[in-house]
């Protein structure tokens, strides 16, 4: 926050000044002499404290904040009289802006009117939800016109709680569950998006419960900031719906079983299927919600006990085109820069990404840059928070990204705006690449994308001239039938303008799940082993065969989308699923269910009874992230610890232990004393991790590549040369999405994530605070389309595609283009993937979640 001098507690004496000044607002000068602890300033601070305690009418002995309250700490430090601590006459707490709110509670009796909550909301979060009302002693924090908090511009980030010095603002669900002095703090990594925020689980050891979640200022990468999910989305850990015992299906229903029985049955059935039908008959689906160690073991069990390369994780659903596209262009398929560099970007090119909702803490870093004068280009079919504040917003048709990018690059070359020295020195295949662009004029792109041609010109000029510029994208680029080509084209744009290989400049895919980067890094992909060592390389296969003591499998293997198809064809017969729910996450849900029912044997490892688990033959109860040790890798390639804070419910076990036991039952013994031993084995086999150990990352997160024990980790990639040597320009031709609007299905439907939820809502939807804000599926539609169809905002409509239909609420505004629809995919009882198209990227088999044709009618 900007210094305000509001509380006056930082008064100091400055030589030559006639009176004490506030240290936070007084500008430092060379040669200044400052006295910080004289009798005069201490006396003044003590007087200020006494006045603050007059405002403060709380009872310290029964306050939840006891132990961390700054007001109480300063009162002790400055030796205030006991009478000051005695509660003044309390005001009657009438209904205020937090009444009935499930996230937070405001107690004006504890408020000292410092204004920090109002300022952090306005200056840092840029939500401007809070203000002050009343005058003199009647001043209270509120919202504009005293609106209920959930009806204001509040995004429930909880930043106001984190900055409150007295406990006047506090998490409602934490009230009365334990005073801060009695809580034990365990540092861990957030289990939601890929930012990897560091957080402290505040646990009452007497009850084995997480009471609240806080974050320490200065921690990397989030500097103490959290979003709504990170702060309020942990209720699922203690949900009564958690799985607590192994389950075995018998006669169509589940019965409880002992671990030994469930493990033996699973090992035997998977072994029988493998031996009878061969390596293509079984598949292993790992999870990016699980740790690096667990993903490493899942691909290891597939290739040892399973004898197959049929292994995958959720990157196929989202960022597999990133891995394939960037690796083919640069030699490395990861975010090129660090989150800490975002605030220094001079020109942002954001395409197919909604960072303030999907990656809110990265969004905060972008807001810092914008406040410092950064320029912003947003290419998005929706009017997102960033789009409404952009210098240039290109609201192009969904599925026309490559037409837009090609036209920009054609314009940049034609007007000699590109970095010819960088291209000549560090890139190859430029001539073929440039020749292909001649067919992509600005006017042609403007017509295809249905945008103003001048916007495309200005965007090209602004990006090329940035000092530096940086590209940020997410699933709006990857989840297309041309997803890998979209990524390759963004790599083309960066290389063309020399906007890569330096601080705050590069190509930055923001990863969606907490460990989707790690899941890929660990080799839970059919074609690569840990560290992206290629299965096709004989030397790599020989190294891992020797390390693991087995003959390496020879089958090609496949991805999760292949698993669905092969199950329907009768080729895949056994399926081991850890922590994923393909029934809800994969497109064309009816087909997924139909094909999964054809499998002979399904085993699921879960914390809840997922939709996929309902089809299983064996279900193992697993621990959540708060109940085990390990590591996650965030979007900036930073490996960070998670730490056990509470005991698991019932007989639940860590996923890595379960995998080892199943592997042993299948005939390949696996045993480790802890997660650290697993990590160290993986690092010993992975060149980009050679310098890491579980002990070393325990102290501070490290970014790969980290090739030696004394290496500090790598902040940004491709500094002097690309991993592959020279960057490769790809020749990309525009092609339409697999499904286009027609008379029967005249709308284009896209899907995505909201701020308040995360993938499938088994985690976030267990939070009362989040459910109060967003608990139902909906469809965004333009007001002109709604008016034509006679649909009012909030009314129910039926959204239909060639694969099914859903009844949801209509959200009518101007956020989407006319002729476009947008839906989230979080809601189990209203699954949007009932509608989506099972058409796939031609390289990675990632589904086209961002474009399918649809119809809407009033329900």
């Amino acid at each position: 926050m900007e210094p305000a001098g509001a509380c006056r507690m930082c008064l100091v004496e400055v030589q030559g000044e006639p009176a004490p000044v506030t240290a936070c607002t007084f500008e430092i000068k060379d040669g200044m002499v400052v006295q910080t602890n004289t009798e005069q300033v201490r006396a003044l601070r003590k007087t200020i404290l006494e006045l603050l305690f007059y405002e403060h009418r709380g009872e310290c002995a029964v306050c939840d904040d006891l132990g961390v309250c700054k007001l109480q700490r300063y009162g002790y430090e400055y030796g205030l009289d006991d009478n000051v601590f005695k509660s003044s006459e309390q005001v009657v707490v009438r209904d205020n802006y937090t009444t009935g709110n499930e996230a937070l509670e405001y107690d004006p009796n504890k408020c000292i009117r410092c204004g920090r909550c109002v300022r952090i909301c306005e200056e840092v979060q840029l939500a401007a939800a809070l203000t002050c009302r009343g005058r003199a002693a009647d001043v209270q924090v509120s919202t504009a016109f005293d609106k209920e908090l959930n009806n204001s511009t509040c995004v429930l980030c909880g930043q106001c709680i984190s900055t409150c010095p007295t406990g006047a603002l506090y998490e409602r669900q934490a009230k009365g569950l334990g005073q801060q002095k009695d809580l034990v703090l365990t540092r861990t990594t957030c289990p939601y998006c890929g930012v990897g925020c560091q957080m402290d689980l505040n646990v009452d050891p007497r009850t084995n419960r997480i009471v609240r979640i806080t974050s320490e200022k200065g921690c990397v990468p989030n500097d103490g900031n959290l979003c709504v999910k990170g702060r309020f989305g942990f209720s699922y850990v203690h949900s009564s719906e958690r799985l607590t015992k192994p389950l075995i299906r018998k006669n169509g229903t589940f019965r409880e079983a002992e671990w030994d029985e469930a493990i033996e049955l699973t090992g035997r059935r998977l072994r029988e299927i493998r031996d009878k039908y061969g390596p293509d008959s079984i598949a292993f689906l790992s999870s990016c919600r699980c740790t690096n160690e667990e993903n490493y073991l899942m691909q290891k069990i597939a290739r040892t006990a399973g004898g197959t390369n049929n292994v995958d994780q959720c990157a196929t659903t989202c960022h597999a085109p990133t891995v394939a596209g960037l690796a083919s262009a640069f030699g490395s398929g990861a975010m090129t820069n660090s989150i800490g560099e975002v605030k220094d970007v001079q020109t942002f090119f954001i395409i197919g990404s909604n960072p303030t909702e999907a990656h809110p803490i990265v969004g905060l870093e972008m807001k810092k840059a914008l406040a410092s004068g950064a320029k912003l280009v947003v290419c998005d079919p929706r009017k997102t928070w960033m789009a409404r504040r952009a210098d240039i917003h290109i609201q192009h048709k969904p599925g026309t990204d490559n037409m837009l990018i090609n036209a920009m690059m054609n314009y940049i070359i034609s007007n000699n705006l590109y970095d010819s020295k960088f291209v000549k020195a560090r890139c190859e295949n430029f001539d073929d690449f440039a020749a292909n662009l001649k067919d992509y004029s600005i006017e042609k792109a403007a017509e295809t994308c249905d945008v103003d041609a001048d916007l495309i010109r200005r965007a090209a000029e602004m990006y090329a001239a940035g000092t530096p510029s940086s590209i940020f994208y997410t699933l709006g680029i990857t989840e297309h039938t041309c997803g890998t080509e979209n990524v390759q084209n963004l790599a083309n744009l960066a290389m063309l303008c020399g906007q890569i290989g330096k601080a705050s400049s590069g190509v930055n895919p923001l990863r969606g799940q907490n460990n989707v980067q790690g899941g890929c890094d660990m080799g839970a992909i059919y074609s690569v082993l840990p560290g992206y060592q290629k299965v096709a390389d004989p030397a790599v296969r020989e190294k891992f065969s020797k390390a693991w003591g087995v003959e390496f499998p020879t089958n090609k293997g496949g991805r999760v989308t292949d698993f669905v198809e092969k199950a329907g064809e009768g080729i895949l017969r056994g399926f081991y699923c850890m922590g994923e729910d393909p029934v809800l996450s994969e497109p064309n849900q009816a087909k997924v269910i139909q094909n999964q029912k054809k499998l002979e044997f399904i085993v699921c490892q879960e914390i809840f009874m997922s939709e996929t688990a309902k089809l299983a033959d064996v279900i193992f109860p697993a621990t959540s992230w708060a109940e085990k040790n390990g590591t996650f890798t965030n979007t900036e390639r930073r490996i960070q610890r998670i730490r056990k804070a509470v005991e698991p419910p019932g007989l639940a076990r860590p996923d890595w232990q379960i995998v080892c036991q199943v592997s042993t039952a299948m005939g390949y013994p696996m045993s480790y004393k802890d997660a650290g031993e697993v990590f160290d084995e993986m690092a010993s086999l992975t060149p980009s991790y050679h310098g890491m150990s579980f002990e070393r990352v325990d102290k501070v997160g490290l970014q790969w590549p980290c090739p030696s024990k004394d290496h500090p980790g790598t902040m940004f990639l491709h500094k002097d040369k690309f991993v592959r040597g020279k960057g490769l320009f790809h020749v990309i031709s525009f092609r339409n999405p697999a499904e286009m609007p027609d008379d029967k299905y005249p709308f284009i439907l896209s899907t995505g994530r909201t701020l308040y939820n995360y993938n499938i809502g088994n985690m976030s939807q267990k939070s009362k605070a989040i459910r109060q804000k967003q608990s139902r599926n909906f469809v965004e539609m333009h007001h002109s389309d709604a008016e034509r169809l006679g649909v009012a905002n909030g009314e129910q409509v039926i959204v239909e595609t060639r694969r099914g239909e859903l009844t949801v609420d209509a959200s009518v505004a101007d956020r989407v283009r006319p002729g476009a629809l947008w839906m989230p995919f979080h809601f189990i009882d209203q699954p949007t993937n009932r509608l989506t198209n099972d058409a796939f990227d031609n390289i990675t088999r990632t589904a086209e979640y961002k474009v399918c044709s649809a119809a809407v009618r009033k329900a």
Side-chain angles (χ1 to χ4, degrees), residues 345-367:
V345 174
Q346 193 270 336
T347 299
F348 289 96
F349 186 79
I350 301 176
I351 182 167
S353 178
N354 185 8
T356 54
E357 293 205 36
H359 303 87
I361 305 307
V362 171
L364 286 184
E365 295 300 302
M366 291 177 173
K367 291 174 183 178

Side-chain angles (χ1 to χ4, degrees), residues 150-281:
N150 280 343
N151 293 324
S152 72
T153 55
C154 173
V155 292
L156 292 186
C157 63
Q159 300 279 61
C160 54
I161 297 173
S162 69
T163 198
C164 179
T166 67
L169 281 159
Y170 212 73
E171 297 91 340
R172 186 177 293 276
Q173 82 272 14
K175 299 285 284 188
L177 295 184
Q179 291 182 306
Q180 198 64 45
K181 67 179 180 63
D182 298 321
L183 304 182
V184 176
L185 274 60
T186 300
R187 178 64 53 88
T188 193
T189 303
C190 182
Y192 282 100
C193 81
V195 175
C197 292
Q198 294 300 283
M199 53 171 52
D200 294 322
L201 305 187
N202 294 227
V203 174
D204 187 340
R206 299 165 298 184
T207 60
N208 189 45
R209 292 187 70 86
I210 303 170
V211 174
R212 63 194 298 233
I213 289 180
T214 55
S215 184
E216 183 181 15
K217 181 172 171 54
C219 64
V220 177
N222 53 307
D223 195 21
N225 298 304
L226 293 173
C227 76
V228 56
K229 296 185 289 292
R231 197 178 302 276
F232 298 110
F234 62 88
S235 302
Y236 72 94
V237 174
H238 303 299
S239 171
S240 60
E241 298 176 27
R242 286 284 301 274
L243 295 171
T244 60
K245 293 182 179 180
L247 300 174
I248 293 176
R249 182 184 297 278
K250 186 174 182 180
N251 300 324
T253 60
F254 288 110
R255 65 169 178 83
E256 293 182 352
E258 297 299 321
W259 271 104
D260 288 348
E261 180 189 8
I263 292 289
E264 188 280 329
L265 173 62
T266 299
R268 174 166 49 82
R269 290 294 291 120
L270 290 177
R271 189 173 64 245
E272 289 171 350
I273 292 170
R274 176 200 67 194
D275 293 344
K276 184 176 181 180
Y277 300 106
D280 288 324
S281 66

Side-chain angles (χ1 to χ4, degrees), residues 59-133:
E59 289 281 3
C60 292
V62 294
C63 180
D64 292 272
D65 218 29
L66 180 62
V68 296
C69 175
K70 293 179 180 178
L71 189 66
Q72 183 189 58
R73 188 172 76 230
Y74 291 143
Y76 177 81
E77 180 181 341
Y78 285 91
L80 266 59
D81 189 89
D82 287 347
N83 290 329
V84 175
F85 289 93
K86 293 180 179 178
S87 178
S88 305
E89 182 180 348
Q90 294 197 345
V91 299
V92 176
V93 181
R94 66 178 181 83
D95 287 352
N96 61 52
Y97 73 103
T98 66
T99 300
N101 188 276
E102 294 286 357
L104 54 90
E105 176 180 297
Y106 171 61
D107 185 351
N109 282 307
K110 297 178 182 178
C111 181
I112 59 172
R113 285 75 177 167
C114 64
R116 289 171 62 125
C117 56
V118 176
R119 290 172 50 230
I120 199 169
C121 186
E122 183 172 351
E123 297 174 16
V124 177
Q125 199 67 32
L126 303 190
L130 300 182
T131 185
C132 289
R133 63 168 176 82

Side-chain angles (χ1 to χ4, degrees), residues 640-659:
Q640 302 178 114
R641 279 294 314 276
I642 67 165
R643 297 175 179 87
K644 182 178 179 179
V646 292
E647 293 298 324
L651 301 179
R653 292 179 180 178
D655 290 281
W656 68 267
Q657 290 184 7
I658 303 171
V659 172

